PDB file of all heavy atoms in Angstrom:
ATOM      1  N   MET B   8     -79.004 -57.633  30.763  1.00 79.00           N
ATOM      2  CA  MET B   8     -79.015 -56.319  30.050  1.00 79.00           C
ATOM      3  C   MET B   8     -79.150 -56.457  28.600  1.00 79.00           C
ATOM      4  O   MET B   8     -79.851 -55.683  27.834  1.00 79.00           O
ATOM      5  CB  MET B   8     -77.959 -55.430  30.381  1.00 79.00           C
ATOM      6  CG  MET B   8     -77.902 -54.937  31.887  1.00 79.00           C
ATOM      7  SD  MET B   8     -79.384 -54.099  32.314  1.00 79.00           S
ATOM      8  CE  MET B   8     -79.318 -52.704  31.265  1.00 79.00           C
ATOM      9  N   VAL B   9     -78.417 -57.515  27.976  1.00 77.00           N
ATOM     10  CA  VAL B   9     -78.577 -57.663  26.559  1.00 77.00           C
ATOM     11  C   VAL B   9     -79.933 -58.149  26.155  1.00 77.00           C
ATOM     12  O   VAL B   9     -80.541 -57.684  25.101  1.00 77.00           O
ATOM     13  CB  VAL B   9     -77.363 -58.745  26.025  1.00 77.00           C
ATOM     14  CG1 VAL B   9     -77.690 -59.163  24.767  1.00 77.00           C
ATOM     15  CG2 VAL B   9     -76.037 -58.001  26.165  1.00 77.00           C
ATOM     16  N   ILE B  10     -80.436 -59.134  26.925  1.00 80.00           N
ATOM     17  CA  ILE B  10     -81.898 -59.628  26.604  1.00 80.00           C
ATOM     18  C   ILE B  10     -82.836 -58.466  26.723  1.00 80.00           C
ATOM     19  O   ILE B  10     -83.719 -58.476  25.880  1.00 80.00           O
ATOM     20  CB  ILE B  10     -82.156 -60.839  27.632  1.00 80.00           C
ATOM     21  CG1 ILE B  10     -81.192 -61.898  27.304  1.00 80.00           C
ATOM     22  CG2 ILE B  10     -83.658 -61.063  27.570  1.00 80.00           C
ATOM     23  CD1 ILE B  10     -81.375 -63.078  28.298  1.00 80.00           C
ATOM     24  N   LEU B  11     -82.786 -57.610  27.807  1.00 76.00           N
ATOM     25  CA  LEU B  11     -83.739 -56.510  27.867  1.00 76.00           C
ATOM     26  C   LEU B  11     -83.539 -55.499  26.749  1.00 76.00           C
ATOM     27  O   LEU B  11     -84.504 -54.875  26.305  1.00 76.00           O
ATOM     28  CB  LEU B  11     -83.617 -55.855  29.234  1.00 76.00           C
ATOM     29  CG  LEU B  11     -84.026 -56.658  30.400  1.00 76.00           C
ATOM     30  CD1 LEU B  11     -83.710 -55.868  31.733  1.00 76.00           C
ATOM     31  CD2 LEU B  11     -85.571 -57.045  30.272  1.00 76.00           C
ATOM     32  N   ASP B  12     -82.332 -55.338  26.327  1.00 73.00           N
ATOM     33  CA  ASP B  12     -81.987 -54.271  25.326  1.00 73.00           C
ATOM     34  C   ASP B  12     -82.727 -54.847  23.926  1.00 73.00           C
ATOM     35  O   ASP B  12     -83.219 -54.097  23.213  1.00 73.00           O
ATOM     36  CB  ASP B  12     -80.575 -54.154  25.075  1.00 73.00           C
ATOM     37  CG  ASP B  12     -80.270 -53.058  24.098  1.00 73.00           C
ATOM     38  OD1 ASP B  12     -80.907 -51.919  24.144  1.00 73.00           O
ATOM     39  OD2 ASP B  12     -79.409 -53.339  23.264  1.00 73.00           O
ATOM     40  N   ASN B  13     -82.509 -55.992  23.626  1.00 72.00           N
ATOM     41  CA  ASN B  13     -83.126 -56.666  22.389  1.00 72.00           C
ATOM     42  C   ASN B  13     -84.678 -56.745  22.545  1.00 72.00           C
ATOM     43  O   ASN B  13     -85.254 -56.549  21.414  1.00 72.00           O
ATOM     44  CB  ASN B  13     -82.526 -58.027  22.117  1.00 72.00           C
ATOM     45  CG  ASN B  13     -81.130 -58.004  21.688  1.00 72.00           C
ATOM     46  OD1 ASN B  13     -80.672 -56.951  21.212  1.00 72.00           O
ATOM     47  ND2 ASN B  13     -80.448 -59.100  21.937  1.00 72.00           N
ATOM     48  N   LYS B  14     -85.169 -56.927  23.655  1.00 72.00           N
ATOM     49  CA  LYS B  14     -86.627 -57.020  23.869  1.00 72.00           C
ATOM     50  C   LYS B  14     -87.404 -55.785  23.609  1.00 72.00           C
ATOM     51  O   LYS B  14     -88.407 -55.710  23.036  1.00 72.00           O
ATOM     52  CB  LYS B  14     -86.937 -57.546  25.374  1.00 72.00           C
ATOM     53  CG  LYS B  14     -88.407 -57.945  25.507  1.00 72.00           C
ATOM     54  CD  LYS B  14     -88.636 -58.371  26.823  1.00 72.00           C
ATOM     55  CE  LYS B  14     -90.026 -58.805  27.108  1.00 72.00           C
ATOM     56  NZ  LYS B  14     -90.219 -59.279  28.390  1.00 72.00           N
ATOM     57  N   TYR B  15     -86.629 -54.604  24.018  1.00 72.00           N
ATOM     58  CA  TYR B  15     -87.460 -53.295  23.868  1.00 72.00           C
ATOM     59  C   TYR B  15     -87.023 -52.432  22.810  1.00 72.00           C
ATOM     60  O   TYR B  15     -87.107 -51.224  22.848  1.00 72.00           O
ATOM     61  CB  TYR B  15     -87.276 -52.546  25.167  1.00 72.00           C
ATOM     62  CG  TYR B  15     -88.010 -53.270  26.341  1.00 72.00           C
ATOM     63  CD1 TYR B  15     -87.315 -53.828  27.365  1.00 72.00           C
ATOM     64  CD2 TYR B  15     -89.477 -53.262  26.440  1.00 72.00           C
ATOM     65  CE1 TYR B  15     -88.003 -54.486  28.387  1.00 72.00           C
ATOM     66  CE2 TYR B  15     -90.110 -53.887  27.405  1.00 72.00           C
ATOM     67  CZ  TYR B  15     -89.389 -54.546  28.450  1.00 72.00           C
ATOM     68  OH  TYR B  15     -89.954 -55.188  29.449  1.00 72.00           O
TER      69      TYR B  15
END
Side-chain angles (χ1 to χ4, degrees):
M8 292 305 295
V9 168
I10 291 171
L11 289 176
D12 184 46
N13 288 336
K14 186 176 180 181
Y15 293 110

